[in-house]
Amino acid sequence: MQRRSMMMAAAAAGSPAAAVAARPLAIPPGAVAVLVTLAVRPGAEDAFLRLLHPVLDAMRAEPGFVSAALHRDPADPARFLLHEIWADRQDLVEVQMRRPYRAEYEAQLPALLRRPRAAEVWAPLRADTGG
């Protein structure tokens, strides 16, 4: 049984485990969600991930960082989606995007991509995490 189906069955049965299965993620007022789609050249996926992982690791220590999730397209393993939530858009643009740990990533990224990355900014309303 899939996890969602199990959670729904537990909730229907009044299980206390269902009550803690999901918890809200604290999102500060004025936060921004950034969705970045990256189409990597086929065969460059490992190089891309080696370049990106240290950036994601460093972001976690930033005061305005809320969350990040990296996804891979199951139909195109060379296509990735990065979903980040930051407390403040101005800080993200003026401070976080200019951090020294991003320099190597930004310098090497164009050579690894099939086309320029696409970024969208959204206003997050709610985020939940599993228990």
Side-chain angles (χ1 to χ4, degrees), residues 98-121:
R98 300 167 197 251
R99 293 284 189 202
Y101 61 77
R102 290 182 178 267
E104 184 179 359
Y105 172 78
E106 294 295 338
Q108 292 186 34
L109 188 61
L112 297 173
L113 297 178
R114 288 182 269 175
R115 58 183 169 269
R117 63 188 156 188
E120 298 179 277
V121 177

Side-chain angles (χ1 to χ4, degrees), residues 16-126:
V20 295
R23 59 185 180 274
L25 179 66
I27 300 176
V32 293
V34 182
L35 294 119
V36 183
T37 304
L38 303 118
V40 176
R41 295 182 191 282
E45 299 92 343
D46 289 342
F48 166 72
L49 291 171
R50 279 192 305 273
L51 198 59
L52 178 59
H53 283 298
V55 173
L56 294 174
D57 292 341
M59 285 172 23
R60 284 196 307 259
E62 298 298 344
F65 176 78
V66 177
S67 69
L70 177 63
H71 308 274
R72 177 179 254 161
D73 183 342
D76 179 357
R79 189 167 171 258
F80 299 87
L81 174 69
L82 184 58
H83 176 209
E84 302 175 23
I85 300 178
W86 291 87
D88 181 78
R89 182 180 187 153
Q90 185 174 352
D91 177 67
L92 171 63
V93 173
E94 295 178 5
V95 178
Q96 303 308 326
M97 295 301 295
R98 300 167 197 251
R99 293 284 189 202
Y101 61 77
R102 290 182 178 267
E104 184 179 359
Y105 172 78
E106 294 295 338
Q108 292 186 34
L109 188 61
L112 297 173
L113 297 178
R114 288 182 269 175
R115 58 183 169 269
R117 63 188 156 188
E120 298 179 277
V121 177
W122 291 71
L125 299 178
R126 176 179 167 162

